[in-house]
Structure formats: structure tokens, C-alpha cells
Amino acid sequence: MKELEALLEKRWILKTEDKELYYKVRDSIGEIRRFATDKMGCQVIENSLLVKMEKIPAIPESFMGIEEFTSREEYAFLCILLMFLEDKDAEEQFILSQLTEYVSANMPGQPVDWTLYTSRRRMVKVLRYAVAQGIVKVTDGSDDVFMDEESGEVLYENTGASRYFMRNFSRDIMEYTRPEDFRESDWFEMNEDRGIARRHRVYKRLLFSVGMYRNAGAEEDFEYLKYYGRRLAEDLEQNFDCQVHIHKGSAFLLAGEDCHIGTTFPGNNALSDILLLCCAKIREKVESGAWKTGNDDTVRVEEIEFEQMLREVKAESGSGFTKNYREMPEGEFVREITENLERWTFIKCEEKEHQVIIYPSAGKMTGCYPDDYAGGNTNEQ
């Protein structure tokens, strides 16, 4: 169902941004809402401004953050921006200095020093993200002026969408005492290991994450797959162009070419090529017996040994990398590739133990150069 895919792919569908898709989704809203609420436990918001599916993951993961943000201050600025817009009507305008004064007054700790370039750059990054998401619009001026000097002004317009950016909570969040309380607040009074809540978790883990692993999350989720896995696979494959693979210690939804429900791997870029080559090297070490799999199908290796494997990939295949990666210092190459392997949940770094856990997803796809390779890009397989 393409309309359902669109809601899974996007944060929301704004009427002003894509009127045709907005009406298509509203025409199918009954079927969409049945799937969203029954299978995933996701609320669907529908009004004259937008249509949105509240996509709350069963297990929060690092890649689910806002990729454009690189500091805690940027998340704080975004929250204060949402507070600022709460008191403004749709189409109401404001200037940047009004916002920066409000941020300084409400920022926890010390007021923000806007004479610092770092503070201005972070604020601009948040505002550009808000514009890209359709929360505000630039009416006049350029944020580059503010980036250069604190007195720079920009005129913005509130779209009204900001009120639907944050999720709705069924309870007062002031009662929450730990991060886990935010995950599934609707199920606090239920036995989460059974029934409806368990089904919702399984569907969410397959649709929202790269893979579903036995050693992450509730063990009872794999019990659900044991008894209802075939029915679940048929359901997902009927609604999306995908295949569901269920193994002893992992499960995956593999998207087909006509399935668009999020960012997929591999992408058509040099980094994906390198990650595929790394996965091939991991598979080679497992098949040769150099690295052993555990009962949960994961592989645990020492950090230094894993980093040496990445160096081997660069030494053996680096001639085919783009110039950036080919000339990248070895230490920087190891850090960047490790971070991206972890972002795609192919691995998990255990910093305290100085070990790396390699997940089964690393064995699902590999890449290699063609037999007649003589330089250039990798061939993905």
C-alpha cells in the first residue's frame, strides 16, 4: 500500500507541501489506521494541515536521532523553538532576534552567548532543520547574515505544524523517572510480554530497525515469531514489496526495489561499497573458522582484532575506493567505517570490554570487485 509506505517514509505529509499525496492518504486513511493501530500500535493524526503516523520505536537506536545535529545544545534549541511556536498561530510571523531572546531566557543553565560563532551556527542548523521539516518558513532575509554576526535578522513564518512534531503521551511525563518510561507509556498497566503489546513490538522492530536480534529486547518477541512468524511474514509481504527472513537469533525485513519505507542499505555511494567489502571480510573470517559465532548467531571479537580487519580491507581493496577514502589516514578510516557499521547495526562496540559484537546482519549482504577489476568502483552484490 503506497499511502502506508509514504507515512512510514516521511515524518508527516503536509497539505501545503504535497496536496496530491495528502488527499491520497486521506482517502485511504481507514485502511491505514487499521494496520497502524492493530499491527504496530501507532497513532495516526489526520487534520486539515497534515497526516502523520506516530512512529515510536520498540527499541531506540542511535541512528534514530536527527542526523543533522551533532550536539545536545541543538536538541535543546529545537525543544525551545517548539515551546516558542506553541504560543503562535499558523501563518504568524516572527523575527530571529525574538527567538534568540526566548532561547536565552529558557535555556537550562547559563544564558546562551550569541556573540559566539558556535552558538549561532547551532541555532542556524536547528532553524534550517525546522524549515526542511515544514515547521517554519523563511519569509525574508538569510540566516547566513546571522551566522556571520549576532545582529543579523531573518523573518520567519510559523506553519502550525510544530504542534504535531512531538508525540502525544497518555500520562503526565513529569511522573517518568527514567528514559525507559518514554518507550511504551501506553502499556504501563499491561503485561508487556504478551498479547497486543508483544505483537506491536515485533512489527515495530522489523519495520523501524535494520534487524531484530534475540539478544536485544524481550526474549518473548522471538517466541512470537516462533508461533506467528509465517502469518506475520505473509502480512508484511502482502502490504509491502519485501521479504521477511526469520532465523534462530535474528529476523529481517528485506525491502524490494519497489519498497520505500525508509533509508535502505546499500546506497549508491562509496561508503556503502566499503561497508559491503567489510561485511564480505567478516563473512570470510567466520566461514574460515577464524571467528566463531555464538548461540545467538553473533560474533564477539577484540576491538584491536576488528580494527586490524578494517585495515586489511583498506590494504586489499583501497585502490578501488574514491580519492577521499583512498587517501584518508588509517586511524580516521577505521573510526569512520566503525561508526557507520554501528549506525547500520552491523556491529555494536562494547567500549568498556574493548570488544566488538558483530550481528548476523553483517552476513546478509556482501560486496566484491568483479573478476576483471582493474580499478574504479566496487560492484555490489
Side-chain angles (χ1 to χ4, degrees), residues 33-295:
R33 186 171 273 125
R34 278 192 296 274
F35 184 92
T37 55
D38 184 45
K39 306 299 184 182
M40 296 185 292
C42 294
Q43 180 185 4
V44 177
I45 298 169
E46 171 207 4
N47 56 43
S48 60
L49 181 68
L50 55 78
V51 183
K52 179 191 179 187
M53 180 189 295
E54 295 274 27
K55 297 177 283 290
I56 311 302
I59 301 177
E61 302 189 54
S62 59
F63 70 85
M64 295 175 179
I66 299 174
E67 290 187 357
E68 293 87 346
F69 292 179
T70 55
S71 68
R72 293 180 180 178
E73 286 78 9
E74 288 157 0
Y75 284 97
F77 286 175
L78 176 62
C79 291
I80 298 173
L81 169 62
L82 296 175
M83 291 166 54
F84 175 79
L85 295 174
E86 190 74 19
D87 295 327
K88 299 198 174 298
D89 296 327
E91 301 183 359
E92 185 175 344
Q93 296 182 333
F94 62 93
I95 56 176
L96 181 53
S97 58
Q98 290 177 293
L99 174 62
T100 54
E101 289 176 10
Y102 186 87
V103 171
S104 293
N106 289 278
M107 188 72 177
Q110 296 181 345
V112 182
D113 185 356
W114 297 116
T115 64
L116 297 176
Y117 172 77
T118 301
S119 298
R120 299 197 305 274
R121 180 175 57 82
R122 288 172 175 168
M123 188 75 251
V124 167
K125 194 186 297 185
V126 170
L127 283 165
R128 287 179 178 176
Y129 174 78
V131 170
Q133 294 297 313
I135 296 173
V136 296
K137 294 192 293 188
V138 177
T139 301
D140 187 33
S142 170
D143 55 28
D144 288 331
V145 179
F146 176 72
M147 189 93 80
D148 295 333
E149 188 178 357
E150 61 174 309
S151 60
E153 283 289 17
V154 184
L155 181 63
Y156 291 97
E157 180 182 306
N158 178 33
T159 66
S162 63
R163 298 186 179 186
Y164 304 97
F165 186 87
M166 301 293 285
R167 65 169 291 192
N168 291 321
F169 292 95
S170 59
R171 296 176 58 167
D172 183 355
I173 62 174
M174 297 303 293
E175 299 176 7
Y176 298 172
T177 58
R178 54 194 184 120
E180 290 77 12
D181 293 346
F182 288 88
R183 291 187 185 177
E184 292 288 350
S185 62
D186 292 339
W187 305 112
F188 276 169
E189 307 302 328
M190 298 180 60
N191 181 348
E192 292 195 11
D193 295 332
R194 305 199 182 281
I196 297 173
R198 182 171 61 169
R199 180 175 71 234
H200 290 172
R201 284 201 309 268
V202 173
Y203 272 83
K204 285 181 176 181
R205 291 178 69 181
L206 285 172
L207 284 165
F208 298 166
S209 300
V210 177
M212 176 177 167
Y213 306 109
R214 184 180 291 274
N215 64 356
E219 173 69 24
E220 288 75 13
D221 292 354
F222 267 84
E223 287 295 309
Y224 182 91
L225 288 178
K226 178 180 178 180
Y227 295 106
Y228 305 106
R230 181 175 296 181
R231 184 189 304 173
L232 175 145
E234 290 175 354
D235 187 25
L236 290 174
E237 290 170 6
Q238 285 174 1
N239 282 281
F240 308 103
D241 176 25
C242 70
Q243 292 182 354
V244 177
H245 292 190
I246 300 174
H247 307 287
K248 181 176 67 174
S250 59
F252 304 93
L253 183 147
L254 303 183
E257 293 184 2
D258 198 34
C259 183
H260 305 285
I261 56 174
T263 304
T264 56
F265 181 88
N268 186 23
N269 54 58
L271 178 59
S272 288
D273 293 346
I274 296 172
L275 299 186
L276 285 168
L277 289 166
C278 292
C279 289
K281 177 62 73 172
I282 291 171
R283 188 165 182 166
E284 176 186 312
K285 288 186 175 292
V286 171
E287 290 176 344
S288 69
W291 290 353
K292 305 292 185 183
T293 57
N295 294 331

Side-chain angles (χ1 to χ4, degrees), residues 299-367:
V299 177
R300 186 180 288 268
V301 298
E302 297 299 319
E303 184 180 276
I304 191 169
E305 189 177 359
F306 183 82
E307 291 178 354
Q308 180 56 35
M309 181 273 294
L310 297 181
R311 295 187 182 95
E312 290 175 17
V313 172
K314 191 173 192 291
E316 295 171 4
S317 308
S319 62
F321 295 174
T322 57
K323 183 179 179 180
N324 178 41
Y325 288 104
R326 195 167 59 244
E327 298 180 355
M328 186 177 287
E330 197 171 77
E332 185 180 345
F333 175 82
V334 168
R335 281 194 301 274
E336 180 163 341
I337 300 306
T338 299
E339 287 173 2
N340 280 279
L341 285 169
E342 188 164 26
R343 174 179 175 269
W344 283 104
T345 66
F346 291 129
I347 66 170
K348 180 181 180 182
C349 296
E350 299 278 342
E351 294 183 3
K352 291 183 179 179
E353 291 79 10
H354 299 288
Q355 291 184 329
V356 176
I357 300 174
I358 302 172
Y359 288 118
S361 55
K364 296 294 289 184
M365 291 178 287
T366 64

